[in-house]
């Protein structure tokens, strides 16, 4: 009798373990990617996951003779993944736990001409990258025109025209990306796009576009409160907010009527110039860089102002935020800048950037009176020009 009872108990335990095992397997959140790229037949395809700090290889397969492939893997949370191909191209995907993605194309992956289903955010990313690729093609073509024109007599005119179109492309990409984020509220793709780059530059400025960062944070924290990518963005928003608070304190100390901070920097010959030594003259503290078309244009505009007022006690103290001495010196020579030109060649890492609360967009100006008090400041040349003209009327 006891043997029968033991046998029944053993059988029940085996069945129990089997049920637990089945339940555990059913609870595993399995995601799949099935696809076919006719151009990648017999080629290796690698699936990688983009984590907060690095890229992790998930799996790799060899596409069949018709270019078919499949991946089965566990996605513990919504995240970013990349399919890498042997021709160097890749496709960025957003995958949720339990997603079943299908992606097909007869063209090469780099052409972006593929059909995808199973995740709406991945479809949104494709649409965004297709439009962005079109602008990048135009941008690269214009850069080629620029470099092929350096030997021409009318190079400066060509440069101005090319710079104008390039600026418009950057502005168009900014507006396109911003509207894409706002019009697709709650899309996980926003986390990728807010950090995206165009023409080797970030599309968004963390401080000037802080409202967009906050918008993404407020929406996604409600939808994905425990997601590592969303939490990382949330922490970044908190850091930016704290930094902006500190900057507001600095900004108050740099308001009109307050004394301009004193700095001492060297010119191209190593001679030191202290800003406070210029008391007794009205001074324009001018922050610029040699590689910026806007700054180079400002150089020529400032020459007229300098010639108009220097005999009336006006001086320009131009602080270059360049890293390379050669480019800075060449720009000073080519543009014929005869005022005080100084730099520590530390770029945006220079202490003067924090001291004067200088934004990333240059040029930037501080106009000070004879006593060294701030009269006007900002990045708009027209407003600074008007402030200088009004000052010398009196």
């Amino acid at each position: 009798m006891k043997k029968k009872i033991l046998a029944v108990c053993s059988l029940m335990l085996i069945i129990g373990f089997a049920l637990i095992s089945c339940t555990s397997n059913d609870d595993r959140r399995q995601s799949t990617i099935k696809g076919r790229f006719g151009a990648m037949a017999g080629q290796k395809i690698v699936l990688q996951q983009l984590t907060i700090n690095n890229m992790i290889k998930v799996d790799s397969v060899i596409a069949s003779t018709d270019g078919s492939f499949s991946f089965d893997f566990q996605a513990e949370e919504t995240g970013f993944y990349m399919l890498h191909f042997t021709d160097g191209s890749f496709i960025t995907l957003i995958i949720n736990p339990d997603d079943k993605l299908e992606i097909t194309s007869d063209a090469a992956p780099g052409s972006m001409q593929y059909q995808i289903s199973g995740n709406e955010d991945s479809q949104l990313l494709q649409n965004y990258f297709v439009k962005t690729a079109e602008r990048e093609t135009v941008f690269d073509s214009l850069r080629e025109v620029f470099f092929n024109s350096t030997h021409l007599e009318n190079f400066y005119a060509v440069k101005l025209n090319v710079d104008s179109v390039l600026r418009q492309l950057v502005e168009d990409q900014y507006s396109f990306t911003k509207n894409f984020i706002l019009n697709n509220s709650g899309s996980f793709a926003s986390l990728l796009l807010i950090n995206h780059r165009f023409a080797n530059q970030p599309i968004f400025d963390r401080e000037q576009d802080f409202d967009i960062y906050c918008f993404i944070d407020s929406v996604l924290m409600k939808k994905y409160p425990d997601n590592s990518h969303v939490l990382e963005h949330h922490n970044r928003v908190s850091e930016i907010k704290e930094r902006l608070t500190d900057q507001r304190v600095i900004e108050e100390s740099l308001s009109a009527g307050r004394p301009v901070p004193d700095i001492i920097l060297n010119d191209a010959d190593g001679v030191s110039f202290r800003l406070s030594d210029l008391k007794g003259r009205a001074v324009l503290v001018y922050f610029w860089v040699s590689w910026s078309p806007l700054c180079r244009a400002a150089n020529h505009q400032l020459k007229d102002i300098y010639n108009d007022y220097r005999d009336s006690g006006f001086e320009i103290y131009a602080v270059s935020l360049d890293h390379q001495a050669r480019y800075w010196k060449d720009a000073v020579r080519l543009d014929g800048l005869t005022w005080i030109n100084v730099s520590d060649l530390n770029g945006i890492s220079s202490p003067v950037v924090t001291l004067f609360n200088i934004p990333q967009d240059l040029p930037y100006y501080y106009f000070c009176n004879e006593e060294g008090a701030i009269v006007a400041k900002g990045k708009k040349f027209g407003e600074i020009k008007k402030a200088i003209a009004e000052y010398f009327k009196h």
Side-chain angles (χ1 to χ4, degrees):
M1 184 65 178
K2 290 182 179 180
K3 289 182 178 180
K4 288 184 178 180
I5 293 174
L6 288 173
V8 171
C9 290
S10 298
L11 181 60
M12 291 178 66
L13 286 171
I14 293 172
I15 294 172
F17 281 125
L19 289 172
I20 292 172
S21 178
C22 290
T23 301
S24 177
N25 288 334
D26 290 340
D27 285 344
R28 294 177 64 185
R29 311 193 75 177
Q30 199 78 1
S31 300
T32 63
I33 303 174
K34 292 184 178 181
R36 182 185 61 79
F37 280 93
M40 301 305 296
Q43 301 295 312
K44 184 179 181 180
I45 302 175
V46 179
L47 174 65
Q48 293 184 309
Q49 180 183 7
L50 296 173
T51 64
I52 299 299
N53 299 314
N54 51 33
M55 188 179 293
I56 300 174
K57 179 180 177 181
V58 177
D59 199 1
S60 63
V61 297
I62 302 297
S64 64
T65 54
D66 68 344
S68 297
F69 64 92
S70 66
F71 291 98
D72 295 294
F73 59 99
Q74 278 186 274
E76 296 180 357
E77 62 176 2
T78 300
F80 300 104
Y81 293 80
M82 299 180 75
L83 290 176
H84 284 266
F85 303 90
T86 53
D87 63 355
S89 62
F90 60 88
I91 293 175
T92 305
L93 303 169
I94 294 175
I95 298 177
N96 301 310
D98 302 325
D99 270 356
K100 313 298 178 187
L101 266 68
E102 292 190 9
I103 180 168
T104 59
S105 177
D106 291 322
S111 68
M112 301 297 292
Q113 302 302 315
Y114 56 84
Q115 295 76 47
I116 185 169
S117 62
N119 186 287
E120 184 178 348
D121 282 340
S122 289
Q123 293 173 318
L124 287 174
L125 275 184
Q126 181 195 13
N127 295 335
Y128 175 83
F129 288 134
V130 167
K131 293 291 185 183
T132 299
E134 294 174 358
R135 283 198 183 89
E136 287 175 338
T137 299
V138 177
F139 192 94
D140 292 341
S141 298
L142 287 170
R143 283 175 60 86
E144 187 174 352
V145 170
F146 173 85
F147 289 117
N148 290 337
S149 304
T150 55
H151 64 286
L152 300 177
E153 291 184 3
N154 64 338
F155 168 67
Y156 188 71
V158 173
K159 180 180 181 298
L160 289 178
N161 289 330
V162 170
D163 287 343
S164 175
V165 179
L166 291 179
R167 284 197 300 272
Q168 188 60 53
L169 281 172
V170 171
E171 291 174 7
D172 289 345
Q173 184 65 26
Y174 171 83
S175 298
F176 169 65
T177 307
K178 180 179 179 179
N179 291 332
F180 200 95
I181 291 173
L182 298 178
N183 293 335
N184 295 284
S185 174
S187 171
F188 202 80
S190 298
L191 292 176
L192 195 63
L193 303 189
I194 194 67
N195 298 300
H196 197 52
R197 300 173 70 87
F198 181 79
N200 295 322
Q201 297 292 331
I203 294 176
F204 296 105
D205 181 272
R206 294 184 178 184
E207 296 172 4
Q208 295 183 13
D209 299 304
F210 186 57
D211 57 331
I212 305 176
Y213 281 81
C214 289
F215 171 77
I216 294 173
D217 178 52
S218 63
V219 174
L220 294 187
M221 279 299 291
K222 293 177 182 177
K223 190 173 181 179
Y224 304 96
D226 300 317
N227 185 277
S228 61
H229 294 278
V230 175
L231 290 173
E232 193 271 341
H233 178 78
H234 178 73
N235 292 335
R236 184 186 305 156
V237 168
S238 298
E239 292 172 1
I240 298 172
K241 186 176 182 180
E242 182 177 349
R243 186 165 64 250
L244 288 174
T245 300
D246 293 339
Q247 287 182 353
R248 278 194 288 270
V249 174
I250 297 175
E251 193 65 18
E252 289 177 2
S253 69
L254 295 171
S255 57
R258 296 291 186 92
V260 67
D262 192 21
I263 54 176
I264 180 170
L265 294 170
N266 294 342
D267 69 2
D269 296 321
V271 178
S272 297
F273 284 87
R274 183 183 293 275
L275 181 58
S276 59
D277 288 344
L278 298 176
K279 282 187 177 180
R281 281 179 280 181
V283 179
L284 179 68
V285 187
Y286 166 50
F287 296 90
W288 69 293
V289 286
S290 64
W291 47 262
S292 166
L294 290 176
C295 291
R296 299 299 289 274
N299 285 346
H300 293 280
Q301 293 173 313
L302 285 173
K303 286 167 67 175
D304 292 334
I305 295 178
Y306 189 58
N307 291 332
D308 289 341
Y309 299 111
R310 64 178 175 177
D311 292 337
S312 301
F314 176 66
E315 187 56 75
I316 296 179
Y317 188 92
V319 181
S320 166
L321 297 180
D322 279 283
H323 283 100
Q324 300 292 330
R326 179 166 65 89
Y327 297 136
W328 167 46
K329 293 178 182 180
D330 284 349
V332 170
R333 177 179 56 83
L334 290 171
D335 293 349
L337 310 183
T338 58
W339 48 69
I340 298 172
N341 293 285
V342 294
S343 178
D344 60 11
L345 297 175
N346 285 322
I348 60 173
S349 299
S350 172
V352 300
V353 172
T354 302
L355 187 63
F356 283 82
N357 205 19
I358 303 301
Q360 290 185 355
D361 292 338
L362 297 175
Y364 200 83
Y365 313 91
Y366 278 84
F367 177 54
C368 312
N369 63 20
E370 297 175 356
E371 288 75 38
I374 298 170
V375 176
K377 66 177 182 177
K379 60 183 180 180
K380 294 183 179 180
F381 177 81
E383 294 180 358
I384 295 297
K385 180 181 179 181
K386 181 179 178 182
I388 295 172
E390 290 180 350
Y391 180 83
F392 282 102
K393 280 182 180 179
H394 303 296

